[in-house]
Structure formats: C-alpha cells, structure tokens
Amino acid sequence: MNWPHAPVHWTFDAGIYMVTAGTHQKALLFDTPAKLDQLQQCLLDTAAEFGWRLEAWAVMANHYHVVARSPADPATLAEWIRKLHACSARELNRVDEVSGLKVWFQYWDTHLTHQPSYLARLAYVHRNPARHGVVRDARLYRWCSASWFEQNAPAAFVQTVRALNTDTVNVVDDF
C-alpha cells in the first residue's frame, strides 16, 4: 500500500482554506518580537504575491494558523507555503547567524466548504494566542488578526464570530 508520510494537500477547488504549519520539532524559533514581525510580514507579502486573501492569521513562536480565500487556482497554495517557509527560514537563519537550520516541519490544509466550519475556524484562529496562554485577549497580540478583524469587518459579522464556541473545532494545534 502506498501510504503518504505527510499530510495530503488536495487543493482542487477555489474557496476558503485553513492552513496550519509548525516548526521543526515544535522548537520556539520565532521567540522575539523582531522574528515574529519578520514572519508575519513574510506571511502577508507572500499571500499577496500568490493572490491569497487573508481573513485570519495568528503567528506564534512555533506555529501559525491562517484562514485565506484562494485565487482562481487554489493549487498555488503549495507554492505560496513553500515560498513563505523558504523566505522565513532564510531570514531566521540570517538573524540567528546560523546556516542550514531546519525551520519548518510540514503544513496541514483544509478546504472549508461548510459555513459553520468556516466561521468556527475563523474564531479559532483569532483566539489562538489566548488559547495558548500567550495573552489574555488575542486582540492585544500584534501578530494576530483579531484586532484587525474587529476594526474592519461589519459589526454583525464580528458579533457572530465572537459568539461561536470553538471548544470542539478539530485543528492540528498541539504546539
């Protein structure tokens, strides 16, 4: 039997995807504000370059979560993530003055086709820094879209997302 040793990435249909990636051996590599700034900027820049519209993100010391709307060709997801990981790894190696440090382990993606699932994951990503105990209120964590979302989304939509219970959301997040 030919069984994959990594997550299978089936990106056939345009739409909204959730992506989670973790650092190699869950190492806390992005452990300073400057490193988190760099990773977040790389995330924003590469998403725009490949035509992915971010709807939620949370960047942590050893992982990140993203909810993004694909361009017409969602197969660009693999290229986007490959460039994001290469860009952020090169910059981290430069800042830490090391060579060849393995930064990323792998990533998982899910095509969100069911509205309640999409809304729950949007809430989950916005709350992730608080879930991990990094901050009490994720809106105060500058490497997360929670504050941006509340300032830019329609108030009724913000209230809908804020009211959702995310306790049963099934997301790879053992970081």
Coordinates of all heavy atoms in Angstrom, one line a residue, residues 94-170:
R94 N 19.6 34.0 8.9 CA 20.4 35.2 8.8 C 20.5 35.9 10.2 O 21.5 36.2 10.7 CB 19.9 36.1 7.8 CG 20.8 37.3 7.5 CD 20.1 38.4 6.7 NE 19.0 39.0 7.3 CZ 19.0 39.9 8.3 NH1 20.2 40.3 8.8 NH2 17.9 40.5 8.8
V95 N 19.3 36.1 10.8 CA 19.2 36.8 12.1 C 19.9 36.0 13.2 O 20.6 36.6 14.0 CB 17.7 37.1 12.5 CG1 17.6 37.5 13.9 CG2 17.1 38.1 11.5
D96 N 19.8 34.7 13.2 CA 20.4 33.9 14.2 C 21.9 33.6 13.9 O 22.5 32.9 14.7 CB 19.6 32.6 14.5 CG 18.3 32.9 15.2 OD1 18.2 34.0 15.8 OD2 17.5 32.0 15.3
E97 N 22.3 34.0 12.7 CA 23.7 33.8 12.3 C 24.1 32.3 12.3 O 25.1 31.9 12.8 CB 24.7 34.6 13.1 CG 24.5 36.1 13.0 CD 25.4 36.9 13.9 OE1 26.0 36.4 14.8 OE2 25.6 38.1 13.5
V98 N 23.2 31.5 11.7 CA 23.4 30.1 11.5 C 23.2 29.8 10.1 O 22.7 30.6 9.3 CB 22.4 29.2 12.4 CG1 22.7 29.5 13.9 CG2 21.0 29.5 12.1
S99 N 23.5 28.6 9.7 CA 23.4 28.1 8.3 C 22.7 26.8 8.3 O 23.1 25.9 9.0 CB 24.7 28.1 7.6 OG 24.6 27.6 6.3
G100 N 21.6 26.7 7.5 CA 21.0 25.4 7.3 C 20.1 24.9 8.4 O 19.7 23.7 8.4
L101 N 19.7 25.7 9.3 CA 18.8 25.3 10.4 C 17.5 24.9 9.8 O 16.9 25.7 9.0 CB 18.6 26.4 11.4 CG 17.6 26.2 12.5 CD1 18.0 25.1 13.4 CD2 17.3 27.5 13.2
K102 N 17.0 23.8 10.1 CA 15.7 23.3 9.6 C 14.6 24.1 10.4 O 14.6 23.9 11.6 CB 15.5 21.8 9.7 CG 14.2 21.4 9.1 CD 14.1 19.9 8.9 CE 12.7 19.6 8.4 NZ 12.5 18.3 7.9
V103 N 13.8 24.9 9.8 CA 12.9 25.7 10.5 C 11.5 25.1 10.5 O 10.8 25.0 11.6 CB 12.8 27.1 9.9 CG1 11.7 28.0 10.5 CG2 14.2 27.8 10.0
W104 N 11.0 24.7 9.4 CA 9.6 24.2 9.3 C 9.5 22.7 9.2 O 10.3 22.1 8.5 CB 8.9 24.9 8.1 CG 8.8 26.3 8.3 CD1 9.5 27.3 7.7 CD2 7.9 27.0 9.2 NE1 9.2 28.5 8.1 CE2 8.2 28.4 9.1 CE3 7.0 26.6 10.1 CZ2 7.5 29.4 9.8 CZ3 6.3 27.6 10.8 CH2 6.6 28.9 10.7
F105 N 8.5 22.1 9.7 CA 8.2 20.7 9.7 C 7.3 20.3 8.5 O 7.8 19.8 7.5 CB 7.7 20.2 11.0 CG 7.3 18.7 11.0 CD1 8.2 17.8 10.7 CD2 6.0 18.3 11.3 CE1 7.9 16.4 10.7 CE2 5.7 17.0 11.3 CZ 6.6 16.0 11.0
Q106 N 6.1 20.7 8.6 CA 5.1 20.5 7.5 C 3.9 21.4 7.7 O 3.9 22.1 8.7 CB 4.7 19.0 7.4 CG 4.1 18.4 8.6 CD 3.9 16.9 8.5 OE1 4.3 16.3 7.5 NE2 3.4 16.3 9.5
Y107 N 3.0 21.3 6.8 CA 1.8 22.1 7.0 C 0.6 21.2 6.6 O 0.6 20.2 5.9 CB 1.8 23.4 6.1 CG 1.6 23.2 4.6 CD1 0.3 23.3 4.1 CD2 2.7 22.9 3.8 CE1 0.2 23.1 2.7 CE2 2.5 22.7 2.4 CZ 1.2 22.9 1.9 OH 1.0 22.7 0.6
W108 N -0.6 21.6 7.2 CA -1.8 21.0 7.0 C -2.8 22.0 6.4 O -2.8 23.2 6.8 CB -2.4 20.5 8.4 CG -1.5 19.5 9.0 CD1 -1.6 18.1 9.0 CD2 -0.4 19.8 9.9 NE1 -0.6 17.5 9.7 CE2 0.2 18.5 10.3 CE3 0.3 20.9 10.3 CZ2 1.3 18.4 11.1 CZ3 1.4 20.8 11.1 CH2 1.9 19.6 11.5
D109 N -3.6 21.6 5.5 CA -4.6 22.5 5.0 C -6.0 21.8 4.9 O -6.0 20.6 4.8 CB -4.2 23.0 3.6 CG -4.0 21.9 2.6 OD1 -5.1 21.4 2.0 OD2 -2.9 21.5 2.3
T110 N -7.0 22.6 5.0 CA -8.4 22.1 5.0 C -9.2 23.1 4.1 O -9.1 24.3 4.4 CB -9.0 22.1 6.4 OG1 -8.2 21.3 7.2 CG2 -10.4 21.5 6.3
H111 N -9.9 22.6 3.1 CA -10.8 23.4 2.3 C -12.1 23.5 3.1 O -12.7 22.5 3.5 CB -11.1 22.7 1.0 CG -11.9 23.5 0.1 ND1 -12.5 23.0 -1.0 CD2 -12.1 24.9 0.0 CE1 -13.1 24.0 -1.7 NE2 -12.9 25.1 -1.1
L112 N -12.5 24.7 3.5 CA -13.6 25.0 4.3 C -14.9 25.2 3.4 O -15.0 26.3 2.8 CB -13.4 26.2 5.2 CG -12.2 26.1 6.1 CD1 -11.9 27.4 6.9 CD2 -12.2 24.9 7.0
T113 N -15.7 24.2 3.3 CA -16.8 24.3 2.4 C -18.2 24.5 3.1 O -19.2 24.7 2.4 CB -16.9 23.0 1.5 OG1 -17.0 21.9 2.4 CG2 -15.7 22.9 0.6
H114 N -18.2 24.4 4.4 CA -19.4 24.4 5.2 C -19.3 25.7 6.0 O -18.4 25.9 6.8 CB -19.5 23.2 6.1 CG -20.7 23.0 6.8 ND1 -21.9 22.9 6.2 CD2 -21.0 22.9 8.1 CE1 -22.9 22.7 7.1 NE2 -22.3 22.7 8.3
Q115 N -20.3 26.6 5.9 CA -20.3 27.9 6.5 C -20.0 27.8 8.0 O -19.2 28.6 8.5 CB -21.6 28.7 6.3 CG -21.7 30.0 6.9 CD -20.9 31.1 6.1 OE1 -20.2 30.8 5.2 NE2 -21.0 32.3 6.6
P116 N -20.7 27.0 8.8 CA -20.4 26.9 10.2 C -18.9 26.5 10.5 O -18.3 27.0 11.5 CB -21.4 25.9 10.8 CG -22.5 25.9 9.8 CD -21.9 26.2 8.5
S117 N -18.4 25.6 9.7 CA -17.0 25.2 9.9 C -16.0 26.4 9.6 O -15.1 26.6 10.3 CB -16.7 24.1 8.9 OG -15.3 23.7 9.1
Y118 N -16.3 27.2 8.6 CA -15.6 28.3 8.3 C -15.6 29.3 9.4 O -14.6 29.8 9.9 CB -16.1 29.0 7.0 CG -15.8 30.4 6.8 CD1 -14.4 30.9 6.6 CD2 -16.8 31.4 6.8 CE1 -14.1 32.2 6.4 CE2 -16.5 32.7 6.7 CZ -15.2 33.1 6.5 OH -14.9 34.5 6.3
L119 N -16.8 29.6 9.9 CA -16.9 30.6 11.0 C -16.2 30.2 12.2 O -15.5 31.0 12.9 CB -18.4 30.9 11.3 CG -19.2 31.6 10.1 CD1 -20.7 31.6 10.5 CD2 -18.6 33.0 9.9
A120 N -16.3 28.9 12.6 CA -15.7 28.4 13.8 C -14.2 28.4 13.7 O -13.5 28.8 14.6 CB -16.1 26.9 14.0
R121 N -13.6 28.2 12.5 CA -12.2 28.3 12.3 C -11.7 29.7 12.3 O -10.6 30.0 12.7 CB -11.7 27.5 11.1 CG -11.7 26.0 11.4 CD -11.8 25.1 10.2 NE -11.7 23.7 10.6 CZ -12.6 23.0 11.2 NH1 -13.8 23.6 11.5 NH2 -12.5 21.7 11.5
L122 N -12.5 30.6 11.8 CA -12.2 32.0 11.8 C -12.0 32.4 13.3 O -11.1 33.1 13.6 CB -13.3 32.8 11.1 CG -13.0 34.2 10.6 CD1 -11.9 34.2 9.6 CD2 -14.2 34.8 10.0
A123 N -13.0 32.1 14.1 CA -13.0 32.4 15.5 C -11.8 31.7 16.2 O -11.1 32.3 17.0 CB -14.3 32.0 16.2
Y124 N -11.5 30.5 15.8 CA -10.4 29.7 16.4 C -9.1 30.4 16.2 O -8.3 30.5 17.1 CB -10.4 28.3 15.9 CG -9.4 27.4 16.5 CD1 -9.7 26.6 17.6 CD2 -8.1 27.3 16.0 CE1 -8.8 25.8 18.2 CE2 -7.1 26.5 16.6 CZ -7.5 25.7 17.7 OH -6.5 24.9 18.3
V125 N -8.8 30.8 15.0 CA -7.6 31.4 14.6 C -7.4 32.8 15.3 O -6.4 33.1 15.9 CB -7.4 31.6 13.1 CG1 -6.2 32.5 12.8 CG2 -7.3 30.3 12.4
H126 N -8.5 33.6 15.4 CA -8.5 34.8 16.1 C -8.2 34.7 17.6 O -7.6 35.5 18.2 CB -9.8 35.6 15.9 CG -9.9 36.2 14.5 ND1 -11.0 36.2 13.8 CD2 -9.0 36.8 13.7 CE1 -10.8 36.8 12.6 NE2 -9.6 37.2 12.6
R127 N -8.6 33.6 18.1 CA -8.4 33.4 19.6 C -7.2 32.6 19.9 O -6.9 32.4 21.1 CB -9.6 32.6 20.1 CG -10.9 33.3 20.0 CD -12.1 32.5 20.5 NE -13.3 33.1 20.2 CZ -14.5 32.5 20.1 NH1 -14.5 31.2 20.2 NH2 -15.6 33.2 19.8
N128 N -6.4 32.1 18.9 CA -5.3 31.2 19.2 C -4.3 31.7 20.2 O -3.8 31.0 21.0 CB -4.7 30.8 17.8 CG -3.9 29.5 18.0 OD1 -2.7 29.5 17.9 ND2 -4.7 28.4 18.1
P129 N -3.8 33.0 20.1 CA -2.8 33.4 21.1 C -3.3 33.3 22.5 O -2.6 32.9 23.4 CB -2.5 34.9 20.7 CG -2.9 34.9 19.3 CD -4.1 34.0 19.1
A130 N -4.6 33.6 22.8 CA -5.2 33.5 24.1 C -5.3 32.0 24.5 O -5.1 31.6 25.6 CB -6.5 34.2 24.2
R131 N -5.7 31.2 23.5 CA -5.8 29.7 23.7 C -4.5 29.1 24.2 O -4.5 28.2 25.1 CB -6.3 29.0 22.5 CG -6.4 27.5 22.6 CD -6.7 26.9 21.2 NE -6.9 25.5 21.4 CZ -5.9 24.6 21.4 NH1 -4.6 25.0 21.4 NH2 -6.1 23.3 21.6
H132 N -3.4 29.6 23.7 CA -2.1 29.1 24.1 C -1.5 29.9 25.3 O -0.4 29.6 25.7 CB -1.1 29.2 22.9 CG -1.3 28.2 21.9 ND1 -1.0 26.9 22.0 CD2 -1.9 28.2 20.7 CE1 -1.3 26.2 21.0 NE2 -1.9 27.0 20.1
G133 N -2.3 30.8 25.9 CA -1.8 31.5 27.1 C -0.8 32.5 26.8 O -0.1 33.0 27.8
V134 N -0.6 33.0 25.6 CA 0.4 34.0 25.3 C -0.1 35.4 25.8 O 0.7 36.2 26.3 CB 0.8 34.0 23.8 CG1 1.7 35.1 23.5 CG2 1.3 32.6 23.4
V135 N -1.4 35.6 25.6 CA -2.0 36.8 26.1 C -3.4 36.4 26.6 O -3.9 35.4 26.3 CB -2.2 37.9 24.9 CG1 -0.9 38.4 24.5 CG2 -2.9 37.3 23.7
R136 N -4.0 37.3 27.3 CA -5.3 37.1 27.9 C -6.4 37.3 26.8 O -7.4 36.6 26.7 CB -5.5 37.9 29.1 CG -6.8 37.6 29.8 CD -7.0 38.5 31.0 NE -8.3 38.4 31.5 CZ -8.6 37.8 32.7 NH1 -7.7 37.4 33.5 NH2 -9.9 37.8 33.1
D137 N -6.1 38.4 26.0 CA -7.1 38.8 25.0 C -6.3 38.9 23.7 O -5.4 39.7 23.5 CB -7.6 40.2 25.3 CG -8.6 40.7 24.3 OD1 -8.7 40.2 23.2 OD2 -9.4 41.7 24.7
A138 N -6.7 38.0 22.7 CA -5.9 37.9 21.4 C -5.9 39.2 20.7 O -5.0 39.5 19.9 CB -6.5 36.8 20.6
R139 N -6.9 40.1 20.9 CA -6.9 41.4 20.2 C -5.6 42.3 20.6 O -5.3 43.2 19.9 CB -8.1 42.2 20.6 CG -9.4 41.5 19.9 CD -10.6 42.2 20.4 NE -10.8 42.0 21.8 CZ -11.8 42.3 22.6 NH1 -12.8 43.0 22.0 NH2 -11.9 42.1 23.8
L140 N -5.0 41.9 21.7 CA -3.8 42.6 22.2 C -2.5 42.0 21.7 O -1.4 42.6 21.9 CB -3.8 42.7 23.7 CG -5.0 43.3 24.4 CD1 -4.9 43.2 25.9 CD2 -5.2 44.7 23.9
Y141 N -2.6 40.9 20.9 CA -1.4 40.3 20.4 C -1.2 40.8 19.0 O -2.0 40.5 18.1 CB -1.7 38.7 20.4 CG -0.5 37.9 20.0 CD1 0.6 37.8 20.9 CD2 -0.5 37.2 18.8 CE1 1.7 37.0 20.5 CE2 0.6 36.4 18.5 CZ 1.7 36.3 19.3 OH 2.8 35.5 18.9
R142 N -0.1 41.4 18.7 CA 0.1 42.1 17.4 C 0.4 41.2 16.3 O 0.4 41.7 15.1 CB 1.1 43.2 17.6 CG 2.5 42.8 17.6 CD 3.4 44.1 17.7 NE 4.7 43.8 17.3 CZ 5.8 44.3 17.9 NH1 5.6 45.2 18.9 NH2 7.0 44.1 17.4
W143 N 0.6 39.9 16.5 CA 0.9 39.0 15.4 C -0.3 38.1 15.1 O -0.2 37.0 14.7 CB 2.1 38.2 15.7 CG 3.3 39.1 16.0 CD1 4.0 39.7 15.0 CD2 3.8 39.5 17.3 NE1 5.0 40.5 15.6 CE2 4.9 40.4 17.0 CE3 3.5 39.2 18.6 CZ2 5.6 41.0 18.0 CZ3 4.2 39.8 19.6 CH2 5.2 40.7 19.3
C144 N -1.5 38.7 15.3 CA -2.8 38.0 15.1 C -3.7 39.0 14.5 O -3.6 40.2 14.8 CB -3.3 37.5 16.5 SG -4.9 36.8 16.5
S145 N -4.7 38.5 13.7 CA -5.6 39.4 13.0 C -6.8 39.7 13.9 O -7.7 40.4 13.3 CB -6.0 38.7 11.8 OG -6.6 37.4 12.1
A146 N -6.9 39.3 15.1 CA -8.2 39.6 15.9 C -8.5 41.0 16.0 O -9.7 41.4 15.7 CB -8.0 39.0 17.3
S147 N -7.6 41.9 16.3 CA -7.9 43.3 16.3 C -8.2 43.9 15.0 O -9.2 44.7 14.8 CB -6.7 44.1 16.9 OG -6.9 45.4 17.0
W148 N -7.4 43.5 14.0 CA -7.7 44.0 12.6 C -9.1 43.6 12.2 O -9.9 44.4 11.6 CB -6.7 43.3 11.7 CG -6.9 43.5 10.2 CD1 -6.6 44.6 9.4 CD2 -7.6 42.6 9.4 NE1 -7.1 44.4 8.1 CE2 -7.7 43.2 8.1 CE3 -8.2 41.3 9.6 CZ2 -8.3 42.5 7.0 CZ3 -8.8 40.7 8.5 CH2 -8.8 41.3 7.2
F149 N -9.5 42.3 12.5 CA -10.8 41.8 12.1 C -11.9 42.7 12.8 O -12.9 43.1 12.1 CB -10.9 40.3 12.6 CG -12.3 39.7 12.4 CD1 -12.8 39.4 11.1 CD2 -13.1 39.4 13.5 CE1 -14.0 38.9 10.9 CE2 -14.3 38.9 13.3 CZ -14.8 38.6 12.0
E150 N -11.8 42.9 14.0 CA -12.8 43.7 14.7 C -12.9 45.1 14.2 O -14.0 45.7 14.3 CB -12.6 43.7 16.2 CG -12.9 42.3 16.8 CD -13.2 42.3 18.2 OE1 -13.4 43.3 18.8 OE2 -13.4 41.1 18.7
Q151 N -11.8 45.7 13.7 CA -11.8 47.1 13.2 C -12.3 47.2 11.8 O -12.8 48.2 11.3 CB -10.4 47.7 13.3 CG -9.9 47.9 14.7 CD -8.4 48.2 14.7 OE1 -7.8 48.5 13.7 NE2 -7.9 48.2 15.9
N152 N -12.2 46.0 11.0 CA -12.5 46.1 9.6 C -13.8 45.3 9.1 O -14.3 45.6 8.1 CB -11.3 45.6 8.8 CG -10.2 46.6 8.9 OD1 -10.2 47.7 8.3 ND2 -9.2 46.3 9.7
A153 N -14.2 44.3 9.9 CA -15.3 43.5 9.5 C -16.6 44.2 10.0 O -16.6 45.0 10.9 CB -15.2 42.1 10.1
P154 N -17.7 44.0 9.3 CA -19.0 44.5 9.8 C -19.3 44.1 11.2 O -19.0 42.9 11.6 CB -20.0 43.9 8.8 CG -19.2 43.6 7.6 CD -17.9 43.2 8.1
A155 N -19.9 44.9 12.0 CA -20.1 44.7 13.4 C -20.9 43.4 13.6 O -20.6 42.6 14.6 CB -20.8 45.9 14.1
A156 N -21.9 43.2 12.8 CA -22.8 42.0 13.0 C -22.0 40.7 12.7 O -22.2 39.7 13.4 CB -24.0 42.1 12.1
F157 N -21.1 40.8 11.8 CA -20.2 39.6 11.5 C -19.3 39.3 12.6 O -19.0 38.2 13.0 CB -19.5 39.8 10.2 CG -18.7 38.6 9.7 CD1 -19.3 37.4 9.6 CD2 -17.4 38.7 9.3 CE1 -18.6 36.3 9.1 CE2 -16.7 37.6 8.9 CZ -17.3 36.4 8.8
V158 N -18.7 40.4 13.2 CA -17.8 40.3 14.3 C -18.5 39.6 15.5 O -18.0 38.7 16.1 CB -17.2 41.7 14.7 CG1 -16.5 41.6 16.0 CG2 -16.3 42.2 13.6
Q159 N -19.7 40.1 15.7 CA -20.5 39.5 16.8 C -20.8 38.1 16.6 O -20.8 37.3 17.6 CB -21.8 40.3 17.1 CG -21.6 41.7 17.6 CD -21.0 41.7 19.0 OE1 -20.0 41.0 19.3 NE2 -21.5 42.6 19.8
T160 N -21.1 37.7 15.4 CA -21.4 36.3 15.1 C -20.2 35.4 15.3 O -20.3 34.4 16.0 CB -21.8 36.2 13.6 OG1 -23.0 36.9 13.4 CG2 -22.1 34.7 13.2
V161 N -19.0 35.9 14.9 CA -17.8 35.1 15.0 C -17.4 35.1 16.5 O -17.0 34.0 17.0 CB -16.7 35.6 14.2 CG1 -15.3 35.0 14.5 CG2 -17.0 35.5 12.7
R162 N -17.6 36.2 17.2 CA -17.2 36.2 18.6 C -18.0 35.3 19.5 O -17.6 34.8 20.5 CB -17.3 37.7 19.1 CG -16.7 37.9 20.4 CD -16.9 39.2 21.0 NE -15.8 40.1 20.6 CZ -15.8 41.4 20.9 NH1 -16.8 42.0 21.5 NH2 -14.8 42.1 20.6
A163 N -19.3 35.1 19.1 CA -20.2 34.3 19.9 C -20.0 32.8 19.7 O -20.6 32.0 20.5 CB -21.6 34.6 19.5
L164 N -19.2 32.4 18.7 CA -19.0 31.0 18.5 C -18.2 30.2 19.5 O -17.2 30.8 20.0 CB -18.4 30.8 17.1 CG -19.2 31.1 15.9 CD1 -18.4 31.2 14.6 CD2 -20.4 30.2 15.8
N165 N -18.6 29.0 19.8 CA -17.8 28.2 20.7 C -16.8 27.4 19.8 O -17.3 26.7 18.9 CB -18.8 27.2 21.5 CG -18.0 26.3 22.4 OD1 -16.8 26.2 22.4 ND2 -18.8 25.6 23.2
T166 N -15.6 27.4 20.2 CA -14.6 26.7 19.4 C -14.0 25.5 20.1 O -13.0 25.0 19.7 CB -13.4 27.7 19.0 OG1 -12.8 28.2 20.1 CG2 -14.0 28.8 18.1
D167 N -14.6 25.1 21.2 CA -14.0 24.0 22.0 C -14.0 22.7 21.2 O -13.1 21.9 21.5 CB -14.9 23.8 23.3 CG -14.7 25.0 24.2 OD1 -13.8 25.8 24.1 OD2 -15.6 25.1 25.1
T168 N -14.8 22.5 20.3 CA -14.9 21.2 19.6 C -14.3 21.3 18.2 O -14.3 20.3 17.4 CB -16.3 20.7 19.5 OG1 -17.1 21.6 18.8 CG2 -16.9 20.4 20.9
V169 N -13.7 22.4 17.8 CA -13.0 22.5 16.5 C -11.8 21.6 16.4 O -11.0 21.6 17.3 CB -12.6 24.0 16.2 CG1 -11.8 24.1 14.9 CG2 -13.8 24.9 16.2
N170 N -11.8 20.8 15.4 CA -10.8 19.8 15.2 C -9.7 20.4 14.3 O -9.8 20.4 13.1 CB -11.3 18.6 14.6 CG -10.3 17.4 14.4 OD1 -9.2 17.5 15.1 ND2 -10.6 16.4 13.6

